[in-house]
Amino acid sequence: MPSPYTLRGNDRLIYFADTGLHAYNTWEPVTADQFRQHMNDFADNGIDIYSQLTFSAGALKPGLFVPDHPEFKYWPNNKFQSLVESGVQPLEIMIDQAHKRGIKFFCKLRLTDWHRKRSIAESGFIGRHPEFCNPDRKTRQTLDYSHQEVRDYHADLIRELSSRFDIDGITLNFTRGLAYFPKNTKVDRHVILTDFVRQIRDVLDDQTRTGGRRLQLNAIVWPHLGQ
C-alpha cells in the first residue's frame, strides 16, 4: 500500500542523538577535533538533519554548553569539563562542523523526562518550584504543563539556543515521559500543549538567519490510536 504522505524538500534522513555522546563517542582528553569527527561520521553516512539532545530532566544534558540564563541548570560533564573551562562550547563546534558538511543541526528537548529525584542544587528550576511539578510523580519529578511558567521556562531555553547558536531548528520530544498533566485533569488539556507548540513556533519566528532562513520545528510523538 503506498504511503499517504508526500515528502517535501531535500531532507530525507534525520538522526535523533539521544545523549550517549559523553559516554560512547568521546575519549579523554576530549578535544574539539573529536566533536568535528563525530559530525563527519554522520555526514559520511548521508544524514541530512542531526538533532542533538541538549535538555533532559529539567537540566542541560549532556553538558554541551554553559547557559547564560540563570534558571537553566548546567550539569557539569566530567569528560567535557576541561574543554568547556578553556572557553570552548562543544555545541558550537558541532554546529559549525555540521554546516561545513552540509548537515542541518537541530537541538532536541526531552520535555518530561526525569530519571530520579535530585537535590534542589542539582535540579534547578524543578527543585526550586515544587508548585509547578506534577503531584502524581513522587519519586521522579516532572513538570506540570498546566502552568504558564513551565511553558515559558522551555520557551526561554529555546530562545537562548536559537539566538545564541546558529542552529537550524528545534525538536520537541513528547514521548520520553508522558506525565504532562495530573491524572485527574480533563482530556481537553491537549489544547494547552497545542498553544505551547504555537508559543515555541513564535519564538523561532522571532529569530532570522542569513537570507531570511526560517528556523524549523519538528516533534517526536506517539502514533495516533487510529493508525
Side-chain angles (χ1 to χ4, degrees), residues 37-47 97-98 101-103:
Q37 185 57 50
H38 182 73
M39 300 313 304
N40 286 339
D41 291 340
F42 287 94
D44 291 343
N45 283 278
I47 296 300
Q97 189 63 22
R101 295 299 308 273
I103 299 177

Side-chain angles (χ1 to χ4, degrees), residues 198-209:
R198 289 194 184 101
Q199 180 179 2
I200 300 307
R201 180 67 264 170
D202 288 342
V203 169
L204 295 178
D205 284 345
D206 285 341
Q207 305 298 326
T208 58
R209 294 292 184 257

Side-chain angles (χ1 to χ4, degrees), residues 79-220:
K79 268 195 174 183
F80 301 167
Q81 209 54 25
S82 61
L83 193 63
V84 170
E85 289 175 357
S86 73
V88 175
Q89 304 288 344
L91 185 64
E92 208 162 45
I93 299 295
M94 295 173 70
I95 294 169
D96 180 65
Q97 189 63 22
H99 289 167
K100 287 179 179 177
R101 295 299 308 273
I103 299 177
K104 292 181 180 178
F105 195 102
F106 286 22
C107 286
K108 181 161 70 75
L109 286 72
R110 292 182 190 168
L111 297 178
T112 59
D113 176 60
W114 193 249
H115 294 282
R116 63 180 173 85
K117 194 168 184 177
R118 300 178 186 272
S119 67
I120 291 177
E122 288 180 303
S123 59
F125 183 83
I126 288 180
R128 289 194 297 273
H129 295 286
E131 71 276 17
F132 297 151
C133 290
N134 189 329
D136 296 333
R137 303 298 292 269
K138 302 298 183 182
T139 58
R140 295 189 175 192
Q141 295 166 299
T142 60
L143 293 166
D144 178 0
Y145 280 73
S146 304
H147 303 284
Q148 183 64 53
E149 291 89 346
V150 169
R151 305 194 295 275
D152 291 344
Y153 171 63
H154 291 82
D156 284 344
L157 171 59
I158 291 171
R159 186 174 290 107
E160 175 168 334
L161 287 169
S162 59
S163 62
R164 184 177 167 192
F165 299 102
D166 189 24
I167 62 173
D168 299 283
I170 290 289
T171 298
L172 301 178
N173 186 350
F174 286 98
T175 65
R176 186 64 180 252
L178 296 173
Y180 292 92
F181 306 108
K183 292 178 180 178
N184 62 356
T185 56
K186 297 179 180 179
V187 295
D188 60 2
R189 291 213 175 182
H190 69 274
V191 300
I192 293 177
L193 289 182
T194 300
D195 286 341
F196 169 65
V197 173
R198 289 194 184 101
Q199 180 179 2
I200 300 307
R201 180 67 264 170
D202 288 342
V203 169
L204 295 178
D205 284 345
D206 285 341
Q207 305 298 326
T208 58
R209 294 292 184 257
T210 303
R213 175 166 55 91
R214 190 183 192 219
L215 296 183
Q216 295 177 272
L217 175 63
N218 67 18
I220 304 173

